[in-house]
Amino acid sequence: MQSSLLLTLTACFVVFHGTAAWAADAQVLQPRVPPDQIDAARSVKNPLQSTPESLEKGKALFEGKAFCKACHGADGKGLPKDLELKGPLPRNFTDKKWQATRTDGELFWILKNGSPGTDMAPFVPLVLTEEEAWQVLLYIRSFNGR
Ligand code: HEC
């Protein structure tokens, strides 16, 4: 009797934790672009090639004038310890599932509009030109699976 109760409790615990982890994951993978704009956003392609030069420019912007590093971390993992933000945490760019879910066009939309309701602000055109935004996005893609 005792041990079957323990077994049931253990099973509940495992199921609950599995679900919580899945829910967090699913929340990150949800599209950020509103449904009425997502097809248009997804059709936009990065006009730049990933070359050592363009990646170097993207890195310099990410760590310098665009201060992405302040929230997303130099390693792209998005969890600087001393950060105080309300709402969702900055994205972990090394997450392969997230990288595969988003198109370049959706990420470009985020740089123009921010992620509504979060601390991710718009950067184009105030901080970055469109060309610079594409350079930063090439750099963000380079975190994939790092
Ligand atoms: C003030 C902190 C902060 C700064 C600075 C910042 N971000 Fe973010 N960023 C966030 C947060 C928080 C999220 C998560 C928003 C969400 O869950 O929708 C995010 C999400 C993102 C996403 C993912 C959106 C998606 O579709 O999942 C991208 C791409 C991104 N940021 C790029 C950048 C770039 C590039 C820069 C620099 C130009 C930058 N961020 C600067 C806080 C920041």
Side-chain angles (χ1 to χ4, degrees):
M1 191 59 191
Q2 274 278 330
S3 68
S4 80
L5 181 67
L6 202 70
L7 208 70
T8 311
L9 285 175
T10 310
C12 287
F13 182 78
V14 169
V15 168
F16 175 76
H17 270 251
T19 312
W22 178 82
D25 225 34
Q27 169 47 29
V28 162
L29 299 181
Q30 282 297 314
R32 267 35 187 177
V33 179
D36 61 328
Q37 296 177 51
I38 200 154
D39 287 345
R42 282 182 174 153
S43 71
V44 176
K45 303 270 180 282
N46 192 335
L48 306 179
Q49 297 284 327
S50 181
T51 62
E53 294 75 38
S54 57
L55 279 177
E56 200 47 52
K57 284 184 185 157
K59 180 177 199 269
L61 293 164
F62 185 91
E63 298 187 346
K65 112 172 166 176
F67 56 89
C68 319
K69 183 174 93 168
C71 292
H72 292 280
D75 62 2
K77 293 195 173 157
L79 295 167
K81 283 189 195 64
D82 51 355
L83 196 67
E84 281 192 37
L85 292 177
K86 40 184 170 33
L89 290 171
R91 189 69 63 254
N92 173 3
F93 297 135
T94 68
D95 178 346
K96 283 185 163 190
K97 266 198 261 175
W98 173 82
Q99 286 272 359
T101 301
R102 294 286 193 270
T103 66
D104 289 341
E106 283 176 86
L107 301 184
F108 190 68
W109 187 98
I110 294 286
L111 290 185
K112 280 176 113 170
N113 299 279
S115 182
T118 76
D119 281 334
M120 178 63 203
F123 283 84
V124 177
L126 243 62
V127 180
L128 298 171
T129 65
E130 296 206 349
E131 189 186 18
E132 289 173 330
W134 287 120
Q135 288 163 349
V136 171
L137 289 179
L138 288 177
Y139 185 60
I140 284 179
R141 289 303 194 190
S142 78
F143 284 114
N144 191 3
R146 247 195 230 174

